[in-house]
Amino acid sequence: MSKANKKREGCTLTLALTVCSAAIGGTFQYGYNISIINAPTSHVQKFINETCMKRWGTALESSQVTLIWTIIVSTFSLGGLLGSLLAGPMAIQFGRKGSLLLNNCFLFFSTILALSSRSAGSFEMLILARLLVGVNAGVSMNIQPMYFGESAPKNLRGAVAFSSAVFTALGILLGQITGLTEVLGSESLWPYLLASNALPGVVQMLTLPWFPESPRYLLIDKGDREACGRALKRLRACSVFNAEMEEILQERVGTGDARAKTLWELFTDQSLRRQLCTVMAASSAMMLSGNDSIYFYASYIFQEAGIPVEKIQYVTIGTGACEFTSALVCNLLIERVGRRLLLAGGYMLMACWALVFTVALSLQGKVEGMPYLSMVCVFAYILSFGMGPAGVTGILPAELFDQMARPAAYMIAGSMMWINLFLIGMAFPFIVNSLGQFCFIPFGAICVTACLFIGFTLPETKGRTLAEITEEFDKLNRKGTTNGLFNDGQHEQTQSLTDQTLEYLEIEKI
């Protein structure tokens, strides 16, 4: 009995170390980079103005400085969009682990630009630095969940994949702490703050090469059964994984000699249309819910809530701590509660808190204590986001698509996330200025819509194989049609696939 416990412990340790190594230079960077940009806002704006004074002998108007600052902030999203489009081809060409390692090149170039920007007197270097670090985040946000989903056993797939959200939240929290005036958020140290994201990249470069590649990538994409077996042995800390190997072989036989799908092929594949629509809607809703706007423009929100300016940097640390705490809790719950309930329930709670927040802002100045209720609402909103949408959304492409469609699916999901993040980043200050205390009403409406859509269209994927999930979607697609014909065809297809798998196993034995 103790020996079995040791095996399980070894499996957990190897998998945990792989997760930590990949995530510290992956989704951690996304969270870290969206939070550190908030701290040096006034310092960078001053630098922009001083640079223009030296160049042209005239100061910019405040609106012009704000516009340049908004471009610097939002360029991160454009880089993320570019990175999400690069992620698919990179994952196919270099593998999941290899792509994460190669991705650090973008990060290190951005570090050099951020460090040199002030001495060079160029705010354009900051724009380029944010673009490159956005590319880094876009690649990692797509490839890391793919790597985790393909490396984890079925019973831990959700928890392992959800760890991406945990590291994102950890990155946000540590970025907020690093951005404090007492740490690196001062006027003299802000270039070092923007360049501090190189340290997690160095850690990943030193550790990730020691861990195995995705077993599914090795067998299905590369056809290397021995390498797949070695990877499974290390990740599971045991030599008995026949059922899992058979499942991977079955998926390989099902794909045959097919190559990875392109974006156009995925868009035109009618059998995957419902899955694609679900992933696109979930990815868009995650960004349109307005949660990440809190980190980009935290000071604006807390000023509206009546928090003193000098206290805002400490209050924002609480928002990061909230998301990190909720992500940890959700990581423990996801294999018990399931994906659909966490997603739909998270959005419904966000909608409720958006309504309470609107009421609190409307009564501010009329009823005592409303600024503090507003602050509680922001924390509760982030907690609700972290309890479901923050992590479950990234798992969906890995669970709904096979190996040939998965890279393209992640490209589409990532593109939707970054496009909508860019739009929200550009529009949010104007939403606040035009709607005032009603600024969260649009986000609440989006959360209600997302809750209803997910509740009615997404089947539960917890503990299911890809074949079982696909069959569930096929039932939804064919609802109202002649079920008898479909079931017979499905049975024949499944039987044929099983026969092919057994035949393949026999050939491998010979």
Side-chain angles (χ1 to χ4, degrees):
M1 188 70 179
S2 61
K3 192 173 182 180
N5 287 335
K6 284 183 180 178
K7 294 292 184 186
R8 282 195 294 272
E9 188 177 315
C11 172
T12 303
L13 178 62
T14 305
L15 209 54
L17 291 175
T18 303
V19 165
C20 291
S21 179
I24 197 67
T27 52
F28 176 90
Q29 290 282 20
Y30 168 73
Y32 190 78
N33 283 292
I34 65 171
S35 63
I36 61 171
I37 196 64
N38 187 61
T41 300
S42 60
H43 306 317
V44 176
Q45 288 180 346
K46 182 181 178 182
F47 165 67
I48 293 169
N49 214 5
E50 289 175 349
T51 301
C52 293
M53 280 286 293
K54 290 178 182 177
R55 288 182 185 177
W56 302 300
T58 180
L60 297 178
E61 296 180 5
S62 60
S63 60
Q64 293 173 318
V65 174
T66 302
L67 176 61
I68 295 174
W69 169 245
T70 304
I71 292 172
I72 292 173
V73 172
S74 300
T75 301
F76 177 72
S77 303
L78 293 178
L81 174 60
L82 179 59
S84 68
L85 294 175
L86 290 173
M90 286 179 66
I92 296 167
Q93 183 67 31
F94 304 108
R96 285 40 167 166
K97 185 180 81 169
S99 296
L100 289 173
L101 290 170
L102 184 62
N103 187 36
N104 285 297
C105 293
F106 301 112
L107 178 69
F108 296 142
F109 279 125
S110 75
T111 300
I112 294 170
L113 289 168
L115 278 175
S116 308
S117 59
R118 185 167 61 181
S119 58
S122 172
F123 59 81
E124 293 87 354
M125 293 176 70
L126 286 179
I127 296 174
L128 185 55
R130 290 294 291 179
L131 179 71
L132 289 174
V133 83
V135 173
N136 172 270
V139 171
S140 62
M141 287 283 284
N142 280 13
I143 294 180
Q144 184 186 303
M146 197 187 312
Y147 181 37
F148 288 175
E150 294 173 2
S151 300
K154 183 172 64 176
N155 63 313
L156 292 176
R157 189 177 59 209
V160 170
F162 198 94
S163 61
S164 296
V166 174
F167 277 89
T168 299
L170 178 61
I172 290 171
L173 178 59
L174 291 183
Q176 290 168 340
I177 294 172
T178 308
L180 289 174
T181 306
E182 296 85 349
V183 188
L184 292 179
S186 63
E187 185 173 358
S188 60
L189 295 176
W190 66 260
Y192 299 96
L193 172 64
L194 297 183
S196 61
N197 52 24
L199 294 177
V202 171
V203 172
Q204 184 181 74
M205 292 293 289
L206 292 175
T207 57
L208 189 57
W210 300 98
F211 296 103
E213 177 60 272
S214 157
R216 288 182 179 272
Y217 173 79
L218 291 171
L219 180 55
I220 299 175
D221 289 72
K222 293 298 183 181
D224 193 337
R225 190 168 185 265
E226 290 185 5
C228 175
R230 289 195 299 269
L232 284 174
K233 187 174 182 179
R234 290 188 62 193
L235 290 168
R236 307 295 178 262
C238 61
S239 56
V240 182
F241 38 77
N242 293 336
E244 190 169 1
M245 179 69 84
E246 184 176 339
E247 181 193 334
I248 301 174
L249 285 169
Q250 185 171 341
E251 187 176 340
R252 188 192 178 200
V253 171
T255 59
D257 296 326
R259 56 176 175 76
K261 288 182 181 290
T262 64
L263 290 176
W264 179 249
E265 288 170 343
L266 183 56
F267 272 119
T268 56
D269 190 339
Q270 293 188 2
S271 66
L272 296 174
R273 186 149 301 169
R274 184 181 286 267
Q275 290 96 312
L276 187 59
C277 289
T278 302
V279 166
M280 290 175 68
S283 300
S284 298
M286 178 180 171
M287 293 305 176
L288 292 175
S289 66
N291 184 77
D292 285 324
S293 299
I294 291 173
Y295 298 111
F296 276 136
Y297 301 101
S299 58
Y300 290 131
I301 290 176
F302 289 122
Q303 282 175 21
E304 287 290 322
I307 306 300
V309 175
E310 64 275 9
K311 301 293 183 183
I312 286 178
Q313 64 172 336
Y314 304 104
V315 174
T316 53
I317 292 178
T319 63
C322 274
E323 185 165 342
F324 180 60
T325 302
S326 61
L328 283 176
V329 173
C330 191
N331 193 262
L332 301 174
L333 294 177
I334 190 168
E335 293 299 347
R336 295 180 176 88
V337 177
R339 283 60 157 161
R340 183 169 62 176
L341 180 59
L342 286 174
L343 261 180
Y347 280 122
M348 184 52 67
L349 285 173
M350 289 170 73
C352 293
W353 285 112
L355 179 61
V356 176
F357 187 43
T358 302
V359 172
L361 288 177
S362 300
L363 296 176
Q364 192 168 305
K366 301 175 184 176
V367 179
E368 189 177 352
M370 285 299 106
Y372 300 100
L373 177 59
S374 298
M375 189 170 63
V376 168
C377 289
V378 171
F379 290 154
Y381 196 83
I382 292 171
L383 278 169
S384 303
F385 178 78
M387 285 296 290
V392 179
T393 306
I395 299 172
L396 296 181
E399 296 194 327
L400 302 187
F401 295 92
D402 64 19
Q403 193 79 3
M404 296 298 103
R406 196 171 292 135
Y410 266 107
M411 287 169 67
I412 294 170
S415 298
M416 297 304 298
M417 289 170 61
W418 288 104
I419 289 171
N420 286 292
L421 179 61
F422 174 75
L423 294 175
I424 287 295
M426 292 295 288
F428 188 72
F430 301 101
I431 292 174
V432 173
N433 290 334
S434 59
L435 297 181
Q437 69 267 31
F438 301 107
C439 62
F440 265 71
I441 289 294
F443 300 131
I446 289 169
C447 291
V448 171
T449 304
C451 173
L452 294 174
F453 180 84
I454 289 165
F456 285 113
T457 63
L458 179 66
E460 182 52 63
T461 60
K462 180 187 71 171
R464 291 183 171 185
T465 64
L466 178 64
E468 292 169 340
I469 295 168
T470 302
E471 184 176 352
E472 185 70 26
F473 270 104
D474 287 339
K475 288 179 181 178
L476 292 172
N477 285 330
R478 296 172 182 264
K479 213 168 187 178
T481 62
T482 310
N483 288 330
L485 291 174
F486 167 68
N487 289 337
D488 290 342
Q490 184 75 25
H491 175 73
E492 290 175 8
Q493 184 181 6
T494 304
Q495 186 63 44
S496 173
L497 194 59
T498 303
D499 292 343
Q500 291 179 54
T501 306
L502 292 173
E503 183 181 347
Y504 183 87
L505 285 167
E506 290 299 323
I507 293 172
E508 288 290 329
K509 286 178 183 177
I510 294 172

